[in-house]
Every structure is written in C-alpha cells, then in structure tokens.
Amino acid sequence: MTTHDLTRDALRSAVASAVRAPSMHNTQPWIFRLLDDGVEVYADRTRQLPAADPTGRALRVSCGAAIFNLRLAFAHLGYVADVRLLPAGRPPDLLARLTAGRAGPATPEEHGLHAAIPRRRSNRLPFLDTAVPLDVRARLARAAAAQDGWLDLILGPTALDMVAELVRTADRALVSDGAYRTELTAWTRPDDTCTDGVPHGAGGPAPEPHDLVVGRDFGGPPRAPGRGFETEPLIGVLGSHADTPRDDLVAGQALQRVLLTAAWSGLSASLFSQPIDVAPAREQLRLGLRRHGAPHMLMRFGYGVPAPATPRRPVASVLLPEAAHHRVA
Ligand SMILES: Cc1cc2nc3c(=O)[nH]c(=O)nc-3n(C[C@H](O)[C@H](O)[C@H](O)COP(=O)(O)O)c2cc1C
C-alpha cells in the first residue's frame, strides 16, 4: 500500500473539483465516498433521466467526466491516481474507485487542465466567425486519444449539413415525446438560485427554425435581431472504441479532457447529444463517420464571450456518510 498524506479536506477538495463536471441537464447524477486513501464514485440513480436517458448511458458519461476531474485533482495534490473502473465484486452502483498511487508532481499539462476546471462551462451563445487554428484542432483530437477516445472534426459543408440534419431529426423525435418535454421543463430553472438544473441564463437563446445545429430548448430568451450563430460552426464528434457501460465511463473522461483542453486553449464549447440519445440517429452518425465503436457527444468549438456558470450542489450533499455501505437508492 502506498503511503500518502491525503487529508479529509484534501479529498473533499478533490470532490469539489469532480462536481464541476458537465452532466446531462445538470442533473449531477453522482455520489462519492471518501476512503482512507482515495474516493469512490457511485451512480445516483435517483438523478437518472428516465425519458432522455433510459439506459443510464448519459449518467455514466457524466460520471466519467467527474472521474477525469478527480484524476486531475489527485495530480494537483501530488499523486498519480490509481483508477479502477467498475471494480470487481463491486456493489451495483459503484462506478469507479480512485486511490493515491505513486507520489510525484503534476505535469504542466495537468496543472493547466486542473486550473481550467472552474473556468470550463457550456457556452450556448453564438461564437465569433474566427477559425480555430489547426494546431488547436490537433490538440483537441490528441486530448481525446490520450483518454482512449476519438474526436472527429466535421469538415466541409456537405458533412456539416448531414450532421446538422441528424441533430434536427433526433431533436424532432425527442420533442414529439411528452415525457421528454416534461422532463426537460422540470430540469429547466428560471434563475440560478437552485443547485441543479439548467438556469435560463445559462441555457442559451431559444432555438430558431433556421438554426443549422438545433440546440435543446432550455427556455432561453429569443435572440436579438442579427445575432445568429456562426455560419460555419466547428463541430466535433467524440466517441469510444467499443460500446459497453465501461466505454461510457471512458468516453466521459475523454469528453472532459477535450473540454478542459479547449478551455485551457481559450476556446468555448457547447454540447449536443440529441443524435446520441436516439438510437437510429446514433447508428447513422457512426456509419457516416465510418467508425467502429460508438459516438458519445457532438461538440461545438469556437471563440466567444464568457458564458455564465451553472450552479452545483454543495460537496456535503454528494458525500456518502463515511461509515455507510454502498447501495444508493
Ligand atoms: C451526457 C451529456 C449530455 C449533454 N447534452 C447536452 C445537450 O444536448 N445540449 C446542451 O445544451 N447541453 C448538453 N449537455 C451539457 C449540460 O447541459 C451541462 O454540462 C450542464 O448543464 C452543466 O453546465 P456546465 O457544462 O456549464 O457546467 C450535456 C452534458 C452531458 C454530460
């Protein structure tokens, strides 16, 4: 066993980093247990979205993003995290166990990505029509690969139109389901005094029929005349090499590494998962990309004005009592 000097406060600070991860509709579907030498990550099934996420895939991607933040927090505290996904003999909702491995200083990249955790946020506002340089695009793709994922950037108007059409079709299918609409409304908040859900102020402007890539409607205001989205958005599709529950956790880590790399590089990003949540659209996307494995997220990158932060539940409310054992509701 590795000796370490991780205090309870240090582990709580790691959990504070974890909860800044993105999650579908800002449900924050995670719960954590502090160990002597690490942290366990559990799925909080009470926060799974029955209409939008019946299989729990989005829940696991969100928890994967939180796991990547924990890895960075361990690095920041001076340890390489030993990460076990879905450890053997686990209780059903235990998704990962991170323990302090070898001691050593964080790399400059880990420092940069860790510092980007509080700055990263979903930016659903229009971006500038400024091209993202090739070296930054390559950095984003390398970030996905470093976590065993892939990121394909959609190049050229034909491919972009095809992807945009898939988003439109999938969004139409989702919105035609009353349970989906009720759920989306239930997680949309009029202001940011709640500790979860998407506040109107962060949800972006209301989608317009002429938008190329249709966003989810979080009840935002109509756009001022002339404030359209960029004409040639930079869209990336993030995926994993296989499609098991473990791959959802891998994809979530790759997603967060790409998002933090974007934030560290001065880029804004927003997420679209409608074509992932509708099975035929997801398969068409996979075939169009000629990929094995599975797409997990569409991402829009660009330069924009800072977007407001969304709230989070306090750390104390996402911690299991230390003596408690496992199964969460
Ligand atoms: C699995 C998953 C799916 C998401 N799907 C969408 C989406 O379709 N549209 C969107 O605007 N944001 C989407 N998001 C972003 C969340 O709404 C966002 O992370 C959450 O509201 C917290 O806000 P933040 O990213 O600014 O911290 C998704 C996030 C995750 C992890």
Side-chain angles (χ1 to χ4, degrees):
M1 187 176 162
T2 316
T3 52
H4 63 86
D5 60 359
L6 285 174
T7 61
R8 302 326 260 169
D9 280 350
L11 291 174
R12 272 188 215 102
S13 76
V15 172
S17 295
V19 303
R20 289 305 322 165
S23 59
M24 199 182 213
H25 299 3
N26 198 22
T27 45
Q28 305 164 45
W30 41 59
I31 200 143
F32 303 89
R33 194 159 77 96
L34 302 188
L35 308 173
D36 284 343
D37 61 345
V39 178
E40 287 180 336
V41 183
Y42 289 78
D44 183 346
R45 297 278 167 205
T46 65
R47 289 175 167 268
Q48 186 177 333
L49 296 164
D53 184 29
T55 63
R57 192 201 58 80
L59 176 150
R60 287 185 292 277
V61 170
S62 307
C63 288
I67 291 167
F68 187 70
N69 280 5
L70 280 174
R71 278 182 189 271
L72 290 177
F74 273 64
H76 182 70
L77 291 166
Y79 295 94
V80 176
D82 178 7
V83 183
R84 298 276 151 86
L85 300 179
L86 307 177
R90 69 197 174 92
D93 290 333
L94 175 59
L95 299 180
R97 181 177 296 129
L98 291 90
T99 49
R102 179 171 53 77
T107 64
E109 183 177 16
E110 286 166 337
H111 271 307
L113 297 181
H114 183 262
I117 290 175
R119 292 203 311 271
R120 182 219 60 85
R121 48 198 64 168
S122 297
N123 188 337
R124 301 180 181 87
L125 300 169
F127 298 155
L128 301 172
D129 266 321
T130 305
V132 176
L134 288 180
D135 62 324
V136 180
R137 295 174 186 223
R139 202 179 301 154
L140 299 175
R142 276 199 304 272
Q147 292 309 133
D148 208 19
W150 47 263
L151 179 75
D152 285 351
L153 296 175
I154 306 301
L155 300 178
T158 311
L160 190 57
D161 279 348
M162 280 168 58
V163 169
E165 184 54 32
L166 280 179
V167 179
R168 215 171 294 129
T169 314
D171 193 67
R172 229 181 282 127
L174 290 169
V175 170
S176 69
D177 173 3
Y180 168 84
R181 288 199 309 275
T182 306
E183 189 177 81
L184 185 61
T185 307
W187 285 96
T188 301
R189 313 282 186 228
D191 55 39
D192 62 2
T193 55
C194 283
T195 56
D196 58 12
V198 180
H200 283 176
E208 305 265 1
H210 55 261
D211 287 344
L212 178 62
V213 189
V214 183
R216 287 198 209 252
D217 189 351
F218 290 110
R223 222 164 306 151
R227 285 292 283 150
F229 280 90
E230 55 277 18
T231 42
E232 283 179 40
L234 177 60
I235 302 288
V237 182
L238 177 122
S240 59
H241 295 288
D243 195 16
T244 66
R246 188 179 188 282
D247 294 300
D248 299 339
L249 297 172
V250 170
Q253 293 180 77
L255 169 70
Q256 184 64 352
R257 186 155 181 162
V258 172
L259 287 172
L260 292 176
T261 302
W264 189 30
S265 311
L267 274 181
S268 295
S270 65
L271 305 178
F272 298 79
S273 62
Q274 302 100 313
I276 309 297
D277 305 332
V278 175
R282 190 181 190 206
E283 181 59 7
Q284 260 181 284
L285 186 60
R286 186 186 72 77
L287 290 172
L289 294 169
R290 296 189 171 76
R291 278 283 186 184
H292 294 291
H296 282 274
M297 189 65 77
L298 269 68
M299 315 173 75
R300 179 180 66 113
F301 302 103
Y303 297 98
V305 293
T310 50
R312 292 295 188 275
R313 291 180 294 152
V315 167
S317 66
V318 297
L319 287 180
L320 280 177
E322 290 194 28
H325 271 276
H326 317 312
R327 180 132 174 83
V328 180

